[in-house]
Structure formats: structure tokens, C-alpha cells
Amino acid sequence: ETGVTQSPTHLIKTRGQQVTLRCSSQSGHNTVSWYQQALGQGPQFIFQYYREEENGRGNFPPRFSGLQFPNYSSELNVNALELDDSALYLCASQLSGGRGDTQYFGPGTRLTVL
Amino acid sequence: GNSVTQMEGPVTLSEEAFLTINCTYTATGYPSLFWYVQYPGEGLQLLLKATKADDKGSNKGFEATYRKETTSFHLEKGSVQVSDSAVYFCALPRVNNAGNMLTFGGGTRLMVKP
């Protein structure tokens, strides 16, 4: 176990709706990243939060947004859901610092958009 | 930008067979390199890493050597077990002040038969 938890485990939404996914980082980790993993593919980096601010972003539109809280928990929000948003969403936490530092992943939230 | 190319799967082996999963990368400089494993229904776990050229990462019988001359980080195991059945991802980071933003390969599914 990595100490990173995510909720909910599964979620079903319809096109056009909004969704919020939650992540609780490993204790003491001040950096959190979110990834989208479509079925049968590798995870794609969405964005990273550090000190409660977005600190890096992948090739995702603005309807993907996030928050990081002082207790290092975080949220991923997706507005105007599209069918292609169906995926496993993974969060990963790490202690900010060196190039070899490890990211610890949560079990993911499976989002299905109908 | 960074990119990672993995051999496509699935790879099907008998127990105790030798495993190689190829991974090559494109990056600026000499990033750290990672192998992650995803067991069915679970998130990603770090399997091994190497932080500089010629480093060998190893864990649970798996090994990978960072080859800068061939920009490769192939994963090997001398004798696979049924319990090694999973999807394996090669990854490299883009590093900022807060940590790593990972670029993953597409994943290679390994199936080991008794």
C-alpha cells in the first residue's frame, strides 16, 4: 500500500455533467499529480499541484481543473463531460525535490461517461 | 519533448521463462528512468528505477540498465512466475521544482501461464 487513497472507486456520469474526484496524499507529501489512463493505454499527465497552485500541465483543456488543500488532499474537477473522458483517473503524490524521487500512486477512480 | 516507446503486447510466457520488455526513450539530457507495474484492478506501483547512465535498477528479480548510447531501459527477468502477470510501463520524468511529471509508454501486458 502506498498510503495514497482516492474516492470514489467508480463513478458513472452522463455527457455534459460535471464530476469531482478526490485524492488523499501520502503523509508529508506536498506535490500531487493527476493522470488519465484510457483503457489499454498508458497514463497521460494532466497536471501537477504544489503549494496549492498548479505547477505544470499536460495537454488537457481548461475544463480539467484541480485544487490542492493545506492538508495535501486534492481534487480533480472535470466540467462538460465528454464520452472520451471515460478512463481511470490516477493521482500520485511525492515529496518535492530531486530528479529520482518516487511518485506514489493511488488505486484510481474509474469514470464512465454515458 | 519527452517520449517513451515500449514493445507492444501481450507477451505470453510459460512459468520460468526469460522475460525482456523493450523500452526506448527520447528526452533532453539524461533523465531518471522508471518501470511501473499495474496488477489487475490496481493502481501503479514503482518496480524499479535508475537515476543516471549505466545504473542498473533491480527489484523482485527484475532488472533494467540505463543505456544512454542506445537510449534504452529494457526490463528483464530471468525466470517469470504466474504472479508476475500484469501490465508494465516504462516512464521518464520532466522535472521541476516540485517533482516529476511522468511520460509513460503505452504499456506491455505480460501473461504467464503455469
Side-chain angles (χ1 to χ4, degrees):
Chain A
E1 286 222 359
T2 64
V4 180
T5 60
Q6 293 186 242
S7 62
T9 305
H10 297 89
L11 201 53
I12 298 174
K13 292 285 188 178
T14 57
R15 200 168 39 181
Q17 285 188 311
Q18 179 266 343
V19 68
T20 297
L21 310 182
R22 293 178 175 84
C23 172
S24 178
S25 297
Q26 187 167 342
S27 178
H29 284 186
N30 52 5
T31 298
V32 65
S33 299
W34 285 89
Y35 295 83
Q36 180 196 66
Q37 186 180 14
L39 197 62
Q41 298 183 23
Q44 300 288 318
F45 172 72
I46 302 174
F47 45 55
Q48 177 194 79
Y49 273 78
Y50 173 61
R51 294 183 175 177
E52 303 172 44
E53 292 194 356
E54 187 178 296
N55 196 54
R57 191 176 186 93
N59 189 26
F60 282 81
R63 60 189 184 84
F64 286 77
S65 63
L67 287 171
Q68 184 186 29
F69 301 101
N71 65 356
Y72 304 134
S73 64
S74 65
E75 292 180 352
L76 164 65
N77 299 287
V78 187
N79 293 322
L81 283 167
E82 301 177 358
L83 297 180
D84 284 349
D85 296 334
S86 294
L88 180 69
Y89 288 85
L90 298 164
C91 78
S93 74
Q94 72 177 113
L95 197 56
S96 64
R99 57 199 295 273
D101 286 352
T102 301
Q103 288 194 357
Y104 295 90
F105 283 81
T109 294
R110 174 75 61 188
L111 172 65
T112 301
V113 182
L114 303 176
Chain B
N2 291 350
S3 67
V4 177
T5 302
Q6 286 182 238
M7 63 185 288
E8 291 193 12
V11 174
T12 303
L13 296 173
S14 298
E15 209 164 21
E16 299 183 3
F18 183 85
L19 168 71
T20 299
I21 299 178
N22 291 337
C23 169
T24 57
Y25 67 90
T26 302
T28 302
Y30 302 105
S32 299
L33 297 169
F34 301 87
W35 276 101
Y36 279 84
V37 59
Q38 188 172 38
Y39 297 102
E42 298 185 14
L44 298 173
Q45 299 176 27
L46 178 68
L47 180 60
L48 55 82
K49 67 180 182 183
T51 58
K52 61 183 187 295
D54 299 325
D55 261 4
K56 178 183 284 188
S58 61
N59 186 28
K60 299 181 181 179
F62 290 88
E63 294 183 339
T65 301
Y66 188 151
R67 304 278 189 204
K68 70 175 183 180
E69 62 276 8
T70 55
T71 61
S72 65
F73 193 53
H74 304 324
L75 183 68
E76 298 181 333
K77 187 174 186 182
S79 176
V80 294
Q81 306 300 312
V82 172
S83 58
D84 294 327
S85 298
V87 182
Y88 293 82
F89 295 94
C90 186
L92 68 93
R94 182 162 50 97
V95 181
N96 61 13
N97 60 315
N100 298 327
M101 297 170 284
L102 294 172
T103 297
F104 287 89
T108 303
R109 180 175 298 278
L110 170 65
M111 297 189 296
V112 181
K113 297 185 175 181

